[in-house]
Amino acid sequence: MSSLPATLRSPPPPEPKPEDSDEDLFTVPDVESAPGNSSPAAIEAAKVSGEGPSKCRKGRNPAEREYRRLKRLLRNRVSAQQARERKKVYVNDLESTATHLQEQNMKLEEKISTLVNENTMLRKVLMNARPKSDDSGEHNEKTANF
């Protein structure tokens, strides 16, 4: 063990209990309220007595280092899960938008086809409606003016 008296040693971080709910897995405890940390009054007393920040620097204690590592891992897991959920929503939105645009494109292509057919039919009707004698008369008038 350590040569420090039991009153100065910090207890190890609490182990997760199997009966904890799923919500407890996603809550991130504060480092300041960790069991291994001293109270604010004790930190102030250490600063005033001249022990300085070297005695209470964060991360020096292996138990506190492990606690902070586990806390960081938990935050990363929560963040990764949230990112996966956001991505799933984004992909679903893109897929629904793509489906909608494909349907709209098909409708517009049908409309274009209908309008092209109508235009062709009207051109044929217009060509058939013109008198044949006007075509020859116009041609003669154009040549006579020169």
Side-chain angles (χ1 to χ4, degrees):
M1 289 279 291
S2 162
S3 62
L4 292 173
T7 57
L8 294 179
R9 276 187 266 139
S10 62
E15 293 296 320
K17 298 173 189 162
E19 64 268 8
D20 286 345
S21 69
D22 287 341
E23 289 181 9
D24 292 340
L25 293 175
F26 295 110
T27 57
V28 181
D30 289 335
V31 173
E32 288 78 23
S33 64
N37 291 347
S38 302
S39 67
I43 293 173
E44 280 300 315
K47 287 181 183 176
V48 170
S49 67
E51 294 176 1
S54 63
K55 292 279 183 183
C56 50
R57 287 175 86 174
K58 289 184 178 179
R60 291 288 183 183
N61 184 352
E64 186 177 338
R65 251 190 234 149
E66 180 66 12
Y67 173 77
R68 292 177 71 202
R69 184 184 75 82
L70 291 174
K71 181 181 171 186
R72 187 180 69 247
L73 286 173
L74 182 61
R75 276 196 318 255
N76 286 346
R77 284 186 190 132
V78 170
S79 178
Q81 182 62 36
Q82 290 172 343
R84 284 190 291 271
E85 290 296 323
R86 283 192 307 268
K87 181 180 177 183
K88 193 180 295 184
V89 168
Y90 176 72
V91 168
N92 287 340
D93 184 42
L94 281 180
E95 287 174 349
S96 67
T97 302
T99 303
H100 172 72
L101 290 175
Q102 286 173 345
E103 291 171 359
Q104 186 178 9
N105 191 27
M106 284 176 45
K107 288 177 184 176
L108 290 173
E109 285 177 353
E110 288 175 9
K111 192 170 188 177
I112 287 172
S113 176
T114 303
L115 291 173
V116 165
N117 288 338
E118 183 181 352
N119 190 12
T120 305
M121 183 187 69
L122 290 173
R123 285 179 185 265
K124 286 180 181 178
V125 167
L126 185 64
M127 291 300 287
N128 290 336
R130 285 188 183 165
K132 301 274 189 222
S133 61
D134 285 346
D135 288 339
S136 62
E138 287 177 11
H139 180 63
N140 290 337
E141 288 176 12
K142 286 182 184 177
T143 56
N145 290 335
F146 288 114

